[in-house]
Amino acid sequence: MSAPTSGLVLAIDTAFDACSVAVFDPLRGAMVACASEELGKGHAERLPGMVDAVLAQADTSFGAISRIGATIGPGSFTGIRVCVSAARAYGLALGVPVVGVVTLHAMAEAWRRNRPILAVHDAKRGEVYSMLLSADGEVMAPPSALAPDKLPEWIAQAGGAVDLVGSGAAVALAVLAANRPEADSPTIVSDRSAIDMSTLARLSIDASAQHLPKPLYLRSADAKPPSRRVSLFDAAS
């Protein structure tokens, strides 16, 4: 991890079903306050109140925030727009850096141990979103949308057994284990696509703030997004 920033990090995630907010103290390397609700939809309406509540829980204010980190995808098309737009709006209002973190990176990093780890999210329509990290956290294969049967070739550089995390882990296991010796069989460490907010905050500290974050869409939306703006957050997209 790079040198800690002064002030607190506000971390926001609405990329999947959950709406999550956290306040993290880089100097202590610890979470100050966190809240998360499984919503499925309605993130834009719930997020502002949750931010206020978490700041109150942390006994702090917006003035103490020195950096904002947000998940940028892949994930729910609408959820990603909400998260990125909200983070940019808060950053503009507060005059602080805003950084983006790939959901798959946060998923993999939270469970990374002593061997390569593949984050794999069920993207539906016969595809998975995947990203491969090495045992030391380096990106071996960047975020991609691909058919599950392409995974063996796609992660060949891992060279051996990998850990699996995400809603597509079971699908990946079936494909990857088919033609491998038992010693090289993958292991599912989590079958959920969920963001650990402490990991998101830590990755936000290291992320470059040179450019404002943008949504990471690995394919077009499953449904056309609404044309009517539902909140001020969309104005920052």
Side-chain angles (χ1 to χ4, degrees), residues 21 36 87 97 113 116 138 151 156 185:
V21 178
S36 182
R113 300 297 182 262
E138 296 298 317
L151 284 173
S185 182

Side-chain angles (χ1 to χ4, degrees), residues 73-75 80 104 127-130 142-146 215-220:
I80 294 167
L104 299 169
E127 289 185 321
V128 292
Y129 296 143
S130 302
S144 300
L146 66 163
L216 175 62
Y217 300 130
L218 298 182
R219 70 183 188 198
S220 59

